[in-house]
Amino acid sequence: MTSAKLDAIDLRILDVIQRDGRITKLALAEQVGLSPTPCWMRLRKLEKAGIVSGYHARIAMRVVAPVATVLMEVTLASHRQADFDRFERVVRDIPEIVACWSVGGGVDYVVKVMTRDIDAYQRLVDDLLEREIGIDRYFTYIVTKTVKDEIVLPIADLLPASA
């Protein structure tokens, strides 16, 4: 199933479940205007196609404990595929690195790190540098305030106009 094959009901299903992943089958069916069985079959099809990749609880970590959220730009010294692969393999195994994007432009990666405090962040960076995974430069941006951190995607707005 590709985005071009999603119809209005599929889009409604996606919109509803991303807002409430714990919704019952019956409530979902009512909200999208289907009977429960066809609605559930559509949802299973969206899951099998990889369009729905999981269901998660969103944790307000700052309510649990103080944390430091840091964005880091990383530039590698060499740009061979093996260098990118090595960096990405290490990043995937570090739990404090909660997101990593390969980007175009003046840097190679933007990394989101969450640690107990700035000292813990610096220890993580020191460890990365000691591993010699090809980091040439990095820049640190400490998040002082979250203005928007949306998890609900504007699905209908992101699709081509003809979809």
Side-chain angles (χ1 to χ4, degrees):
M1 181 177 290
T2 65
S3 60
K5 295 184 182 188
L6 296 177
D7 65 16
I9 293 173
D10 293 327
L11 294 176
R12 284 198 305 270
I13 290 170
L14 293 173
D15 188 58
V16 170
I17 65 168
Q18 74 172 337
R19 293 172 194 280
D20 182 3
R22 296 177 62 173
I23 193 167
T24 66
K25 295 176 196 176
L26 183 60
L28 177 61
E30 288 172 0
Q31 286 195 34
V32 301
L34 283 178
S35 60
T37 300
C39 183
W40 182 247
M41 290 172 52
R42 281 179 175 254
L43 179 58
R44 296 295 298 159
K45 188 175 179 182
L46 293 166
E47 290 170 345
K48 286 181 181 178
I51 294 169
V52 176
S53 61
Y55 299 88
H56 312 278
R58 184 166 182 167
I59 308 300
M61 193 61 215
R62 290 183 185 230
V63 174
V64 176
V67 295
T69 303
V70 179
L71 300 178
M72 184 169 114
E73 292 179 344
V74 176
T75 303
L76 300 183
S78 178
H79 292 99
R80 296 172 304 177
Q81 188 60 47
D83 300 309
F84 292 119
D85 293 344
R86 180 179 60 225
F87 177 83
E88 292 171 14
R89 194 170 34 255
V90 169
V91 163
R92 283 188 198 98
D93 290 337
I94 299 173
E96 295 89 350
I97 297 178
V98 297
C100 178
W101 301 274
S102 175
V103 297
V107 298
D108 297 318
Y109 295 95
V110 175
V111 180
K112 181 178 178 183
V113 180
M114 292 184 76
T115 57
R116 288 188 182 116
D117 53 34
I118 298 303
D119 288 337
Y121 166 74
Q122 189 58 55
R123 286 191 301 275
L124 183 142
V125 170
D126 292 342
D127 179 59
L128 286 174
L129 295 172
E130 284 180 22
R131 290 182 187 213
E132 297 184 4
I133 58 171
I135 296 174
D136 181 40
R137 293 187 329 245
Y138 71 94
F139 296 94
T140 297
Y141 304 94
I142 299 167
V143 176
T144 58
K145 175 176 139 183
T146 300
V147 177
K148 184 175 182 179
D149 187 15
E150 191 61 55
I151 61 167
V152 175
L153 303 175
I155 298 169
D157 296 332
L158 298 174
L159 293 176
S162 63

